[in-house]
Structures are given as structure tokens and as C-alpha cells.
Amino acid sequence: MQNKEVRNWQDEEALKRFQIISPLLDESLDEGKKSQLRDEIAERNGISKRSIYRYEKSFREGSFQGLKPMNREKRRSQALPENFDEIVAEAIQLKKEVPRRSVRQIIRILELEGWAAPGVLKASTMQRYLYNAGLGVKQMKRYTEKRESSSRRFCRLHRMELLQGDIKYGPDIRTSDGGLIKTYLSSLIDDHSRYILQSEFYDNQRQEIVADTFYKAILRHGRFDCAYLDNGTQYTSNQLEQACARLGIRILHAKPRACESKGKIERFHQKVDSFIAEIRVSHVHSLEELNRKWKYFLEQEYQKVAHEGIAEYYRSNGAAVPECGITPEQEWMRDTRRLVFLDTATVSDAFLHRESRKLDNAGCFSFGNSRYEASTALANADVEIAYDPMDTDVIRVKYRDMEPIMAHRVAITPFASKKPVVPAAMTGEAPKTSRLLDALEEKYNEEHKIRANALNFAAYVNQHSEEEGGSNV
């Protein structure tokens, strides 16, 4: 019986280790992607990368059997006291009394009660026996999660109340000229209906693809209340926070290693896996072709296919569900909440990136590896530039209260361009006179008028004094 328990423990540990490293066994992954996956797996499972490397090596050398932990039962009888079975029984009782007691606390109690001398009981050994009894830390955690799973699950009442977003590794595409394109899928799913508002493959996983996903989803379906995202750098950028804030959209982030809180989009990614399996045999050679096939697959194999999660939600509320089920598209279309569409210019402006620049003597500025020409009328001015990182052919230049100027890349052509005309807003109508000279003339006349008055007053005083003196004589 004891040997059977040991084998079960070893098999379960081996299975757990295999599940941890299974994403790394894909031969199509390069070392860079594997390294990134190891970081994610280590963080998600709370283990070190060194352990992951050790599991990989054990699997390569001994397959599944190589993942099994060593059996240390043979050393038990030599190192432990004769009453060890009774000690284990007491340890189990202590764990049942207070499930949050750690192994070291249990050993401390057993030592204080006289069941074993200090230092005889080892934490690793006691932990193994508690695990075999179904009282290991991870077993208790799984039990707690399963017990609370029904209360922890959630579903919003209406569409557009909450969206979940995530990025998933896509298939590698071999172009017709032999090049390799690595792809990444960025998606947004409605929490209530499971409807996919936007999903597209990109050739990078920078924060710009997340902004592009939000931008297209809002243009197509309107404004939503809140987005629930993970803590990746793509989702924690100030640019995304500011863009959503301008449109009145809140951003919430999941707790680290809380994958279950984003279960809806994780379930959707299982559907994506079946698409990737088909793509690998369909000979796709460009990103455009990949997205075109993904559009067809998403529409026919997901949006219009009955979703068990939707049916389960209604059954839990005592509502009847048709035998054919409810598709994400049906649930989205029949929702009573109205969609709030925004003006295209408003949405575009919210997602523009903004920076400050100082124009040179020719009214130009540098951006990236290119120079852009704004206007010679703004030479040496401090301006604000606004641009779409997905399309930098034209950049908007804003200076104080003037109308924005669209700046284009400077291109050297075979012939010189015509001399630009000074904007009418800078000059107004043609002047009829010099305002400076007119102002100086008016100032001159005022000063001389005062001086003349002063001279006249002095003459009057002198004359009056003479007259008074003559009359006295």
C-alpha cells in the first residue's frame, strides 16, 4: 500500500512537471521565444527558471519517467523514530484542525508535545507524507479553488460593460522569398456575450498593436465602460491609459498569476489553437493572407457557433436554453443595451501620440529617422506634434491657437519647390499705412501741444504781473 502511494505521488508530480514544460516542447520555437516562455511559465507557476531547465533536461534524457521525483522511502526507517506512524497520524490531525498550519509549525508542536526529539523530524519528509494524505499545500489550494469556483466566476449583465484583452503567439509565416515572419494575435472579447469585437495578427507585440486593437474596436462597435487586462508592458503604458481616459473608458489590471480571472479570453485562445493548426498546412505566405483567413475562421467557427459558457450562464439563473445553444453573435445582437458610437475624429485624436518639438530655421523637425516639413512661418517655434504610430507618413503640427498643419516627410526632388507663400492668417489684409509711423506722429503732436500750452501760460503770467505793477505806481 505504501509503495502504491509513493508511485501515485511520483506520477502526479511527473504529470505536473510535464504540463509546466509542455509549451516548450514545440520544435518550431526558437531559443528567443523559449526564453520568454520560460520567464512566463516561471512567474505563472511560482518556480525558478533553473527548475524549468532541469525539467526539460530530465524529459529529454528520460522522457516522462525522467520527470518523476526520486523515491526516498528506503531511508525512512533508518532516520526516523519507531513511532513514526503515530507521529504522522498526529501531524495529519494537526493539519486538519488548522489547515493554514505550515509543516514547520506542525513539527514544532510535535516536538513540544514530546512526540519526537528536536531535529529528528525533517520538513521535506513530513511534507511528503502530508501530501500522500491529501493535505499538501497545493492540494489544499486546489480544494479551496474548486470549492469557491462557483462563487468566483462572474459574467456582466450586458454587452460593452467589460472587455477582456490579451496577446497570443501566432504561427510563424514563411514568405515566398524565404523570409520568416513571427506573428502575434491581439484580441478584445466582450465579457457578457463572448463576442469578439476585434482580433488581428501583427508582426510584433509592441504596445502599438494594443492601441490599434482598441482603436478599431471602438470605431466599429462604440465606447465600452471598462477593459480588464493583464500586467504586461503593452497594457500598462501611459499612452493607452490616457487614450482611454479621453474617451471615458476605465482600465483594470488582473492580479499577477491570476489566469482564472481572464478565463473567457483564455477559452477563446483554445479556439485560436485550432486555427493555428489549420494554418500550418495551408501554406500562408503573408500577414495579409493570414488575417484574411482568420477573419473567415473567426466569423464562421466562433462568432456563429454555440458557446457553452453562455448557456451555462443562463442555466445558472434558471433560464431555459434552446437545444441548439446560443452563439456569441446571437447574444451580442439581442442585448438590450444600446451601443454608443463616437465620432471618428474624436477617437482618432484620443489615440494619437503627442510630443513636443522645436522647429529649425526652415520650419522642419526630426521624427524617427526622417525629417518633416511643417511651415517656414513657424521657424524656430516650439510646437506639439501628434501622430499615429501605425502610420507616420503625415504628422499633425499644432502651434498655439492656429489651425493644425499637416507635416509631410521631406523629399528631395529633381527640381526645387516653389517658394511657399506666407499664410494669410499670418498677414491679414494688405496694410494701407504704417501703424508705427502713425503712432509716432500722434505721440509727437501730443508732446508739442503740451509744450505750446506751457509757453502760452508763461507769457500770460508775465503780462499779468507787469500790468499789476504799473497800476500800483
Side-chain angles (χ1 to χ4, degrees):
M1 184 66 180
Q2 193 69 253
N3 291 334
K4 183 179 180 180
E5 291 177 354
V6 172
R7 287 196 299 272
N8 291 340
W9 170 70
Q10 290 176 317
D11 290 340
E12 191 169 349
E13 279 295 308
L15 178 60
K16 183 186 71 173
R17 293 175 180 180
F18 176 80
Q19 291 172 343
I20 289 175
I21 65 171
S22 59
L24 299 168
L25 302 180
D26 188 352
E27 296 297 331
S28 64
L29 299 177
D30 57 24
E31 190 55 39
K33 184 177 289 186
K34 283 187 177 181
S35 178
Q36 185 175 2
L37 274 176
R38 290 188 187 101
D39 292 334
E40 296 174 357
I41 292 172
E43 182 179 0
R44 185 166 59 248
N45 293 276
I47 59 178
S48 64
K49 288 185 66 175
R50 182 176 298 178
S51 297
I52 297 176
Y53 279 114
R54 180 164 53 84
Y55 295 163
E56 289 182 79
K57 181 180 179 181
S58 299
F59 183 79
R60 286 195 301 267
E61 295 176 352
S63 189
F64 184 82
Q65 294 294 327
L67 294 174
K68 292 184 178 181
M70 295 178 60
N71 182 9
R72 301 185 178 93
E73 287 296 313
K74 293 183 179 179
R75 295 187 292 179
R76 179 178 67 83
S77 60
Q78 300 175 1
L80 297 177
E82 296 180 357
N83 64 336
F84 185 70
D85 292 338
E86 297 177 4
I87 292 175
V88 171
E90 290 296 326
I92 292 174
Q93 180 61 30
L94 290 170
K95 186 68 173 177
K96 289 180 177 179
E97 290 175 356
V98 182
R100 296 183 65 86
R101 277 177 179 157
S102 66
V103 174
R104 297 191 180 278
Q105 289 174 333
I106 292 174
I107 292 175
R108 177 64 174 163
I109 294 173
L110 293 173
E111 291 175 349
L112 292 173
E113 292 182 351
W115 288 97
V120 173
L121 301 178
K122 303 299 181 184
S124 58
T125 303
M126 188 61 65
Q127 184 175 10
R128 185 167 70 253
Y129 278 87
L130 288 174
Y131 185 93
N132 292 335
L135 299 173
V137 175
K138 293 184 179 179
Q139 291 168 311
M140 297 294 289
K141 181 181 179 181
R142 285 199 296 268
Y143 167 73
T144 304
E145 289 176 348
K146 290 180 180 178
R147 184 183 62 186
E148 299 177 353
S149 60
S150 61
S151 62
R152 293 176 65 189
R153 298 178 67 178
F154 64 92
C155 181
R156 293 305 175 101
L157 295 177
H158 295 286
R159 63 184 179 182
M160 302 298 273
E161 288 186 0
L162 179 70
L163 302 188
Q164 293 186 15
D166 203 359
I167 297 176
K168 177 178 174 59
Y169 287 107
D172 293 343
I173 300 175
R174 185 68 65 178
T175 61
S176 55
D177 58 357
L180 185 66
I181 302 176
K182 296 184 178 299
T183 64
Y184 307 87
L185 181 68
S186 177
S187 308
L188 279 174
I189 185 174
D190 179 59
D191 184 86
H192 172 76
S193 65
R194 276 75 163 180
Y195 187 76
I196 302 300
L197 277 72
Q198 176 62 24
S199 184
E200 185 175 339
F201 285 95
Y202 298 85
D203 60 359
N204 65 83
Q205 54 178 333
R206 299 191 301 270
Q207 64 184 31
E208 288 82 6
I209 73 170
V210 174
D212 188 60
T213 303
F214 274 64
Y215 172 74
K216 292 178 179 177
I218 296 172
L219 280 183
R220 184 176 302 174
H221 303 288
R223 181 175 58 198
F224 50 91
D225 296 341
C226 182
Y228 191 59
L229 313 170
D230 61 24
N231 292 275
T233 56
Q234 301 92 337
Y235 292 111
T236 56
S237 66
N238 290 332
Q239 175 62 28
L240 181 63
E241 294 275 357
Q242 293 174 6
C244 290
R246 291 189 183 100
L247 300 177
I249 298 172
R250 294 184 298 116
I251 299 292
L252 299 178
H253 295 283
K255 294 181 180 180
R257 296 182 293 277
C259 300
E260 66 277 4
S261 62
K262 295 170 66 229
K264 295 179 180 67
I265 196 163
E266 294 294 341
R267 178 68 180 273
F268 166 68
H269 283 168
Q270 296 178 11
K271 200 71 173 180
V272 179
D273 290 334
S274 61
F275 169 76
I276 294 176
E278 296 295 332
I279 280 296
R280 286 173 177 165
V281 297
S282 62
H283 307 291
V284 173
H285 300 295
S286 68
L287 190 63
E288 292 75 13
E289 186 179 1
L290 174 67
N291 277 313
R292 186 171 64 253
K293 291 184 178 296
W294 170 239
K295 177 182 177 181
Y296 304 149
F297 183 93
L298 178 64
E299 183 72 19
Q300 301 299 325
E301 283 295 313
Y302 179 81
Q303 307 279 44
K304 296 182 178 181
V305 175
H307 197 292
E308 181 59 29
I310 302 175
E312 185 179 2
Y313 166 73
Y314 281 108
R315 292 193 190 103
S316 68
N317 288 279
V321 178
E323 291 186 6
C324 59
I326 304 173
T327 70
E329 184 179 67
Q330 289 172 338
E331 185 63 17
W332 171 267
M333 296 298 293
R334 72 178 189 174
D335 197 292
T336 57
R337 182 183 182 182
R338 294 184 177 182
L339 300 178
V340 181
F341 291 97
L342 301 176
D343 182 70
T344 303
T346 301
V347 180
S348 300
D349 184 74
F351 281 92
L352 289 178
H353 290 230
R354 290 171 169 79
E355 297 179 13
S356 297
R357 286 290 191 279
K358 184 177 180 62
L359 304 185
D360 60 15
N361 293 331
C364 300
F365 63 93
S366 297
F367 177 81
N369 296 323
S370 303
R371 282 176 58 78
Y372 290 76
E373 183 177 5
S375 172
T376 54
L378 298 178
N380 299 315
D382 293 320
V383 299
E384 178 192 71
I385 64 171
Y387 61 93
D388 178 2
M390 305 295 288
D391 182 11
T392 56
D393 290 338
V394 180
I395 294 179
R396 191 179 72 183
V397 179
K398 187 74 168 60
Y399 178 71
R400 296 184 179 177
D401 296 330
M402 288 181 57
E403 288 294 324
I405 297 173
M406 307 310 292
H408 298 264
R409 283 192 178 94
V410 175
I412 301 178
T413 60
F415 301 95
S417 301
K418 293 182 179 180
K419 184 177 180 180
V421 179
V422 178
M426 296 289 293
T427 60
E429 299 180 356
K432 298 179 180 180
T433 183
S434 172
R435 295 175 61 181
L436 173 62
L437 296 180
D438 291 346
L440 293 176
E441 181 180 354
E442 184 177 355
K443 183 71 173 176
Y444 175 86
N445 291 334
E446 288 180 358
E447 291 181 353
H448 281 264
K449 183 176 180 181
I450 295 172
R451 187 181 304 173
N453 291 335
L455 292 175
N456 293 336
F457 179 75
Y460 170 78
V461 170
N462 293 333
Q463 181 181 0
H464 187 68
S465 299
E466 290 176 358
E467 292 176 353
E468 289 181 350
S471 61
N472 293 332
V473 174

